Amino acid sequence: MSDVVAVMRRTLLSCTSLVQGGLAGAGMAGVVDISPAWAAKPDLSERLSQTFMNLSRQDLTALAMALGVLGFSVVAAILLMRTRVRAAANEQRLRAEIRELQSEADRFRALLFAEPQVLISWGAGEDRPQISGDTALLLPQDAKQPLRIVAFGTWLPPEPALQMDHAVDALRSAGEGFLLNLVTSAGRTVEAMGRAIGGQAIVRIRDLGGLRRDLAEMTLRHDNLLEETGMLRAFAAAAPWPLWARGEDGKLNFANAAYARATEAADAADAIERNLELLDSDDRIAMARALNEHATFTGRLPIVIGGERRMYDVHALRAAGGSAGIALDAGEAVTLREMLARMADAHRRTLDQLSSGVAVFDGRRRLAFYNDSYRRLWDLDRAFLDGNPDDSSVLDRLRAARKLPEQPDFRAWKARLHEAYRANEAAKDVWYLPDGRALSIVTTPNPEGGVTYLFDDVTESLDLARRYDRLITVQRETLDSLTEAVAVFGSNGRAQLFNPAFARMWKLSPEALSQQPHIDTVEAWCKPLFDDDGAWQTIRNAVTGIDNRVAVPLKLERRDGSVLDCMTMPLPDGATMLTFHDITDSENVERALRERNDALETADQMKVDFVHHVSYELRSPLTTIIGFAHLMNDPGTGPLTDKQAEYVNYITSSTDALLALTNNILDLATIDAGAMTLELGPVDVRTTIAAAAEGIQDRLTRDRIVLNVDVDPDIGNFIGDERRIVQVLYNLLANAANFSPPDTVITVSARRTEHSVRFAVMDEGPGIPPEVKDKAFDWFESHANGSRHRGAGLGLSLVRSFVELHGGRVHFDSTVKHGTRVVCDFPLDQTAHRNAAE
C-alpha cells in the first residue's frame, strides 16, 4: 500500500510539474501557483496518505487513471496553447518577410525590365524554358507563342541563328557562358548574354541603343574587319605570286612565302630581316620614281628566280604608311600570246593548203582573208583581192564574168545571200555555174561579226555519187545472183540488205525481210530449222556488239540434216554481214576422212602396243636362251663337237642380235610413252667414241673397213647420258658399216661449238635416195639400197629419239653414189634445255 501511495505521490508531482511548465510556457505561471513545496506539506501528505490507505485497490486504480487522463488533458491543452501562440508569432513574422521580399522583387523586376530585354531560363533537367520580358523585342506584335523565341531561326539570319544554337547548347551542357552581339532579321541590334546561375541556365537578350548600339556595331565591324584582314593576310601569305609591303623608310615590313622563295630566303621572316630585294636596282629606281609621281606603277620586268630569268608583270601602289606590290608571272601569257600568233599563222598557212576556197569578210563586209584556192576557183586578180574589196564588189565582178548562177533577180538573190551577216547559224547551198561546175557553198557567221564563205567544187563528188548509185545497183544484182546466202544487219541490229538465197535457205518471206526486222525477230523465224541458243547468242553479239568486232566463223548443223558454214564479218560503217554457205556435201566427205584417220591412228596405236607387249614377252625367253648358250660354250659344262660349237655360236650371235633388237624396240616404246629419263653426267668424248667403235670391230675387220677418228684436241667434256650417246654413235657407225663397201673409210668426228658438241659420221656408201630421206628416221623403215645387210629399221629412229631427248637435233647430208654424212648436235647446257621444256 505504501508503494501505491508512493507512486501516486510521484504521479501527482509530475502532473504538477507539467502543469507548471505549461503555464509558464503560456505566460500564466503567476496565476496558478503549484509548487512541490505545497505538495510536500507534511499534514496534507499525511492526510492524502491516510485517505489513500482507506481506499480499495480498484478504487485506487480508477483514481490513478482519472488523474492520468486529467493530467494528459491539462498538459495537451497547455502545449496546444503554447504551439498556437508560437504559430501566430511565426505567421506574423513570415508575413512581414513576404511583404518585404515582394517589395524587393518588385524593385528588382522594375530595375531589370527598365530597358527592353527578354530572359530565358532553363532549370536543371528541364527542356521547357521560362520566358519573361518584352517578347515584342524579337517577335512580331501578333506572335502569341513566346516559345518561338528559342527557335532562333525565326528572328535571326541562318548563320547567327546557328551560332546562337551552339552557344546555348554549350551553356546548358557545360555551363559555358557567352556574350554575343547579333543583328536580327528585322535589322535590330541585340546583345545575347548567357550565364549559369544557381543551377539554372539563363540567357538575357536585350536591345542595344545609343552608345551601346554604336559600340556593338563597331565591335561587329571590328570583328569583320579582323576576319577580313586575317583572310587577306592568309591569302597574301599563301599566294603563289610574290607580294610585299614597304614602310615610308623603304624597309620591307611584309613578304609572303613566294617572295621568300624568289629572293632565295629561308622564309618570309628572313627576307624581312635582311631586307632582300626582288627587282634590280634600275627597276627599283624606276618604280620608286613612278610611285612618287603617280602613286601607282605597272610594268613588265625581268626577274631572276632560281637562276632562271623570267618576265613578270609588276604592279605597285603607294598607300598610307608606305607602298605595296605584287609580281605576276607573265611568262605563260607571253608564251600563250606567241603560241596564239603562231597558231594564227599556222591556221592561215593551213587554209592556204586547203583545196576548198575560203574567204573571210569582216563586220564591214570587206574581205579580210582569202586563200589561194579561192583565188584560183574564181580566177580573180590577186591585186584586186589584196585591196580588201567589199562583198558586193566581188559578187558584181563574178556576175560580170558570168561565173555565178544565172538569176532572174540578182539583187534579191544577193540580198538573201547577205542575210548571213545577221544569221546565227551556218547555211548551205549548191551553185550550178554556167561552165558546168557545181559548187557547194557554206556561209558561216563569225562571232566577232562578218561571214566566212567556204566553197567546194562538188562536180566530181556528184559524178561519183551517180557512179556509186550505178555500182550499188550492180552490187545488188551480183548479190542476188550469188548461191551463198548474204544478209547485212545495221548497227541498230536491223536487216538492211539480203539476197534471195538467204530467204530461200532459211525459208523466209522476202516481204517480211524487206520490213527490216531486228536480229531477234530473224532468229525467231529461223529457230524451227536451227535451235542452238549458243550459236544464235554469238550471232547476236556479232551484230549488236560495239567492242571487239572481229570476224567469227560458225558451223551450223540444222535439223534437216544440212550443214551451213556461217561467217560474221564486221563492216566499216558499223554494220555486220552474215554469209551462209551450204557445206553439207563437203562435211560428209570430211567426216568420212576423219573417221578413216581415226581408224588409222587406232591401228597405229595398236601396232605400238603390240610391239611393246611382244618385246617384253620376247625378252625373258631370249635371256634364258642366251644364258644357256653361254653355259654350253663354257668348257666346264663339257666338251662339244665342232659342229655343236658352231651351232652354239650361231645361237649366241642370233640371240644377241635379237636381244639388241628387242632392247631397241623397248627403248623406242619407252620414249614414245614419255617415260624415258636420262642419267646426266660428264661425258668424255674420246672414251664415248671408243666404246661405240668397239661394238663394230668385227664388221670392220671382216670387210676391211678403216675407221678414222677425228676429234678436236680441246673438246673436253660435256653433260649428257653417256650410255645413250654411246648407243647413238654405235647405231650410226653400224649403219655406216652396213652400207659401206669393203676397203673403204668411215670417218667419225667431234667438234665443240659455242653452244653444242657436234658428232658427225661419214661413210662412202651408196647414199640415200631422195624419196627415202623423209622416212629415214621412221620406225621399221629399212632400205637395202645395194647393202649386204638389211636391218630392222630402228637404228636411226633411236638416234633421233635420243638426240632430241638431250635437246639436240640430227640431220644428214647424202648424195646418191657419194656416201652419207649424219650430224648430231648435243647442247652443252642441259639445265637451260630442261627449264625451257618445263
Side-chain angles (χ1 to χ4, degrees):
M1 191 64 171
S2 61
D3 296 335
V4 175
V5 173
V7 170
M8 291 297 294
R9 186 176 181 180
R10 287 194 299 271
T11 302
L12 182 60
L13 289 174
S14 299
C15 290
T16 303
S17 299
L18 289 172
V19 171
Q20 186 175 2
L23 291 176
M28 300 175 65
V31 180
V32 181
D33 187 9
I34 301 177
S35 62
W38 174 83
K41 291 181 178 181
D43 52 350
L44 180 60
S45 176
E46 291 177 357
R47 286 196 300 271
L48 288 174
S49 301
Q50 188 66 33
T51 301
F52 286 138
M53 292 178 61
N54 293 332
L55 296 176
S56 63
R57 184 178 296 275
Q58 291 80 4
D59 295 335
L60 289 174
T61 302
L63 180 59
M65 291 180 65
L67 290 175
V69 171
L70 178 62
F72 176 76
S73 299
V74 172
V75 171
I78 293 172
L79 293 175
L80 177 61
M81 292 177 64
R82 185 177 180 181
T83 301
R84 292 186 65 181
V85 171
R86 288 181 178 178
N90 288 335
E91 181 180 2
Q92 185 176 4
R93 179 175 56 81
L94 291 175
R95 287 182 180 275
E97 290 180 359
I98 288 173
R99 285 193 298 272
E100 184 179 353
L101 291 175
Q102 185 66 38
S103 176
E104 186 177 359
D106 291 340
R107 289 196 303 274
F108 285 161
R109 186 175 184 85
L111 179 62
L112 182 64
F113 294 107
E115 57 180 338
Q117 61 182 340
V118 177
L119 291 179
I120 307 172
S121 62
W122 288 270
E126 294 181 358
D127 292 332
R128 186 180 182 87
Q130 297 293 329
I131 300 174
S132 58
D134 186 9
T135 59
L137 176 66
L138 304 176
L139 298 178
Q141 295 288 342
D142 55 350
K144 299 180 180 180
Q145 296 180 354
L147 287 177
R148 290 183 58 190
I149 290 179
V150 296
F152 304 115
T154 60
W155 53 276
L156 282 176
E159 186 174 352
L162 183 61
Q163 185 180 7
M164 191 71 177
D165 282 332
H166 291 166
V168 171
D169 291 341
L171 174 65
R172 295 185 61 191
S173 60
E176 297 180 4
F178 64 88
L179 178 63
L180 300 174
N181 293 324
L182 307 172
V183 178
T184 65
S185 299
R188 187 189 297 269
T189 304
V190 297
E191 178 188 68
M193 181 175 63
R195 294 290 184 272
I197 304 174
Q200 289 188 334
I202 298 177
V203 176
R204 183 180 73 173
I205 304 173
R206 63 176 180 175
D207 187 19
L208 297 180
L211 292 176
R212 286 192 303 177
R213 182 178 60 189
D214 295 342
L215 178 61
E217 292 177 353
M218 290 178 65
T219 303
L220 288 175
R221 287 196 297 270
H222 178 262
D223 293 340
N224 293 333
L225 288 175
L226 284 180
E227 182 180 358
E228 182 178 356
T229 303
M231 181 180 65
L232 290 176
R233 289 185 69 88
F235 171 76
W241 316 287
L243 285 167
W244 68 91
R246 297 183 181 277
E248 288 289 351
D249 56 355
K251 296 294 184 180
L252 191 68
N253 55 25
F254 173 79
N256 63 351
Y259 187 94
R261 289 193 301 270
T263 56
E264 299 181 356
D267 52 17
D270 182 37
I272 295 173
E273 181 179 358
R274 294 194 290 165
N275 195 32
L276 298 178
E277 296 290 349
L278 182 67
L279 304 177
D280 294 338
S281 57
D282 294 340
D283 296 334
R284 292 199 304 272
I285 294 173
M287 183 173 66
R289 185 183 302 112
L291 291 177
N292 290 331
E293 295 176 358
H294 308 289
T296 59
F297 172 78
T298 300
R300 177 163 293 175
L301 305 175
I303 299 177
V304 178
I305 297 179
E308 181 182 359
R309 187 180 182 88
R310 303 178 64 179
M311 298 302 296
Y312 279 81
D313 287 333
V314 179
H315 302 273
L317 59 88
R318 176 171 294 280
S323 63
I326 184 174
L328 301 176
D329 189 355
E332 185 175 0
V334 173
T335 303
L336 289 176
R337 184 174 290 106
E338 294 174 354
M339 289 179 58
L340 182 62
R342 289 195 300 268
M343 288 181 61
D345 185 59
H347 179 67
R348 289 178 175 273
R349 289 198 305 269
T350 302
L351 291 179
D352 282 336
Q353 300 300 321
L354 290 179
S355 60
S356 302
V358 179
V360 180
F361 290 85
D362 58 19
R364 297 178 301 166
R365 300 189 181 185
R366 304 194 70 86
L367 184 63
F369 171 79
Y370 69 94
N371 63 352
D372 194 59
S373 297
Y374 176 81
R375 184 190 62 79
R376 287 186 281 103
L377 176 67
W378 297 112
D379 193 18
L380 294 173
D381 184 25
R382 189 181 296 276
F384 169 73
L385 295 176
D386 292 340
N388 303 112
D390 60 6
D391 198 352
S392 297
S393 300
V394 174
L395 293 177
D396 290 340
R397 174 167 291 201
L398 293 177
R399 179 175 180 240
R402 298 192 74 252
K403 294 180 179 179
L404 291 180
E406 298 292 343
Q407 301 294 335
D409 189 350
F410 180 74
R411 186 183 299 274
W413 178 82
K414 185 168 65 173
R416 287 195 303 270
L417 181 64
H418 287 170
E419 289 178 359
Y421 287 92
R422 298 182 297 274
N424 295 322
E425 296 181 357
K428 297 181 180 180
D429 197 4
V430 178
W431 292 356
Y432 297 97
L433 305 184
D435 58 3
R437 291 182 299 168
L439 296 183
S440 173
I441 175 174
V442 178
T443 57
T444 305
N446 299 329
E448 64 278 4
V451 171
T452 298
Y453 290 100
L454 182 65
F455 297 94
D456 282 310
D457 190 345
V458 295
T459 307
E460 186 176 357
S461 299
L462 295 177
D463 182 61
L464 288 175
R466 289 190 292 269
R467 285 189 287 173
Y468 175 75
D469 292 339
R470 289 195 298 269
L471 181 61
I472 288 297
T473 303
V474 173
Q475 183 183 26
R476 181 69 190 185
E477 294 296 333
T478 303
L479 287 177
D480 289 346
S481 302
L482 290 177
T483 57
E484 291 184 353
V486 178
V488 177
F489 289 84
S491 58
N492 58 357
R494 294 188 172 275
Q496 295 180 344
L497 181 65
F498 66 93
N499 63 350
F502 178 77
R504 290 194 304 270
M505 181 174 289
W506 290 100
K507 300 180 181 178
L508 302 177
S509 170
E511 292 77 11
L513 290 174
S514 62
Q515 299 300 320
Q516 296 187 349
H518 196 268
I519 182 63
D520 294 335
T521 305
V522 176
E523 175 187 348
W525 292 345
C526 298
K527 274 196 171 182
L529 290 175
F530 180 70
D531 191 12
D532 187 342
D533 292 336
W536 283 115
Q537 180 66 35
T538 302
I539 294 175
R540 284 199 305 274
N541 293 340
V543 171
T544 60
I546 299 177
D547 299 329
N548 298 325
R549 287 175 51 82
V550 295
V552 179
L554 294 171
K555 184 179 291 185
L556 313 180
E557 297 184 4
R558 302 199 301 184
R559 293 181 177 179
D560 57 0
S562 60
V563 180
L564 304 182
D565 189 2
C566 173
M567 176 65 73
T568 66
M569 183 64 64
L571 300 180
D573 60 349
T576 304
M577 181 176 66
L578 301 182
T579 60
F580 299 91
H581 180 57
D582 192 342
I583 58 171
T584 306
D585 295 337
S586 59
E587 184 68 19
N588 292 335
V589 173
E590 183 180 352
R591 288 175 183 171
L593 293 175
R594 190 180 297 111
E595 291 173 356
R596 182 179 179 184
N597 183 65
D598 292 342
L600 292 175
E601 290 181 355
T602 302
D604 186 62
Q605 186 62 39
M606 289 176 63
K607 180 183 71 172
V608 173
D609 294 341
F610 172 76
V611 170
H612 191 271
H613 179 72
V614 170
S615 298
Y616 271 107
E617 292 298 329
L618 286 176
R619 194 171 189 178
S620 179
L622 277 175
T623 305
T624 304
I625 294 172
I626 292 171
F628 281 114
H630 285 291
L631 184 61
M632 291 175 67
N633 264 335
D634 190 357
T637 305
L640 298 176
T641 63
D642 294 339
K643 200 66 172 178
Q644 290 174 341
E646 183 182 356
Y647 291 156
V648 170
N649 290 333
Y650 287 154
I651 293 173
T652 301
S653 61
S654 298
T655 52
D656 287 340
L658 186 56
L659 180 60
L661 178 61
T662 304
N663 288 334
N664 289 341
I665 294 174
L666 285 175
D667 289 340
L668 286 173
T670 303
I671 295 173
D672 187 66
M676 173 68 71
T677 58
L678 298 176
E679 299 178 0
L680 298 178
V683 178
D684 186 272
V685 176
R686 297 180 183 275
T687 305
T688 303
I689 294 176
E694 185 179 356
I696 63 167
Q697 286 299 326
D698 56 342
R699 301 187 197 178
L700 299 177
T701 302
R702 184 184 62 218
D703 294 334
R704 302 181 304 280
I705 298 176
V706 177
L707 178 61
N708 183 18
V709 179
D710 181 13
V711 180
D712 190 353
D714 299 329
I715 194 168
N717 298 338
F718 72 99
I719 301 302
D721 189 336
E722 184 175 3
R723 186 168 66 90
R724 299 302 181 186
I725 295 175
V726 170
Q727 195 171 352
V728 167
L729 296 177
Y730 168 77
N731 282 300
L732 292 178
L733 292 173
N735 190 68
N738 289 337
F739 286 92
S740 295
D743 301 319
T744 57
V745 178
I746 296 176
T747 302
V748 55
S749 63
R751 295 287 185 272
R752 189 184 190 95
T753 64
E754 183 179 358
H755 301 290
S756 64
V757 172
R758 173 171 295 177
F759 293 93
V761 177
M762 184 174 61
D763 60 48
E764 297 178 357
I768 302 176
E771 65 274 8
V772 180
K773 285 185 178 181
D774 295 336
K775 299 184 293 182
F777 292 104
D778 294 343
W779 289 23
F780 304 110
E781 286 293 333
S782 177
H783 302 275
N785 197 22
S787 173
R788 303 182 303 276
H789 303 279
R790 181 184 179 94
L794 297 177
L796 291 179
S797 299
L798 276 174
V799 168
R800 182 178 65 177
S801 299
F802 285 139
V803 173
E804 292 179 351
L805 199 60
H806 278 80
R809 69 185 189 92
V810 58
H811 64 280
F812 55 84
D813 300 327
S814 178
T815 306
V816 180
K817 298 181 181 180
H818 290 84
T820 302
R821 181 174 180 267
V822 183
V823 180
C824 300
D825 289 326
F826 290 91
L828 294 175
D829 189 359
Q830 286 291 323
T831 303
H833 163 63
R834 290 184 175 275
N835 292 337
E838 294 175 357

